[in-house]
Amino acid sequence: MAQPDPQQHAQRLAELDVSADLFTVVLSMALEDVRGCTDFDAPAARGFLFWSRANRYLAELLVPEEMWGHTSRDSILRVIHPDRTHAITAISAEGGVADLDKRVRSKNPKGPAMARMVEQNGQLAFLSRDEVEYGVELDELPTWCLLYKREEGLIKAELSLPVKMNGKFVDEWLHRIPISLPPMEDPGFDISLDEPGDDQGPEVMVEFLGEN
């Protein structure tokens, strides 16, 4: 697949009312936050915090000034364009992030809520809560994914529009837009964990103690 030039990337991002500079700020601030984690945090804290803060800062930068909407329904953190044309959520990825010659997929398995979003199957004949609040059914709104990955000490990212899940992973995309990021200081740890799927949960080991 031919790699479009950076100007074409920038133009496509601008058509979505975002920019590489915006995502650079978002990911840089998320990295700064997770550097505050220590070995006394939960093992998965850094990755989960990075996902949460990337979405938080995306919302904080877009919602107040640009009047984007925001929803955390089904644990999918999304910002919604003021014209209700599309939404954006940040998730971790693996594979050839930002390399259009390579395949890419979500890093972590997703549940039915993400499947509904990707397949855009929400079809209701009546006026739903989403339509009242957002003016559109959320499951029908095209939702772009800000995919990020740590590779060889660098953060790589792209903005891509998913169209299909195979199994529990999002791995088919209608559009992929590589994002040119400046070098960011290597955080030195994995940032690949994102939101728990809605069919997942922590495993709790229970030991029943007999009477003495």
Side-chain angles (χ1 to χ4, degrees), residues 50-204:
F50 187 90
W51 162 77
S52 178
R53 292 299 168 86
N55 281 287
R56 167 187 160 178
Y57 291 132
L58 190 60
E60 287 184 349
L61 291 172
L62 290 176
V63 172
E65 298 296 331
E66 304 297 334
M67 301 301 293
W68 288 56
H70 175 262
T71 175
S72 59
R73 197 187 75 179
D74 297 324
S75 295
I76 302 175
L77 306 181
R78 281 170 280 185
V79 290
I80 304 170
H81 190 272
D83 294 336
R84 304 305 188 251
T85 53
H86 60 279
I88 299 174
T89 185
I91 62 173
S92 62
E94 69 176 8
V97 176
D99 185 344
L100 300 186
D101 289 327
K102 297 179 180 179
R103 293 182 61 84
V104 67
R105 75 170 197 182
S106 60
K107 172 69 175 181
N108 299 295
K110 306 300 178 185
M114 180 67 76
R116 289 194 302 270
M117 185 198 78
V118 171
E119 300 289 351
Q120 299 181 21
N121 286 332
Q123 295 182 4
L124 298 176
F126 54 89
L127 192 63
S128 71
R129 182 186 68 181
D130 288 349
E131 291 173 310
V132 171
E133 187 170 354
Y134 304 110
V136 65
E137 180 65 30
L138 287 179
D139 288 340
E140 295 178 348
L141 190 66
T143 298
W144 292 72
C145 292
L146 172 59
L147 304 177
Y148 58 82
K149 176 186 180 183
R150 173 180 176 249
E151 184 176 273
E152 297 179 352
L154 298 174
I155 303 299
K156 296 187 176 181
E158 64 179 67
L159 189 66
S160 299
L161 184 64
V163 291
K164 189 175 181 180
M165 287 177 61
N166 288 295
K168 293 186 177 183
F169 295 90
V170 186
D171 63 355
E172 294 191 25
W173 316 86
L174 182 60
H175 301 293
R176 294 176 60 191
I177 308 174
I179 298 171
S180 179
L181 298 174
M184 299 180 185
E185 183 181 347
D186 184 4
F189 44 74
D190 187 19
I191 58 169
S192 64
L193 179 71
D194 46 57
E195 85 287 356
D198 49 346
D199 62 345
Q200 302 178 52
E203 293 185 3
V204 180

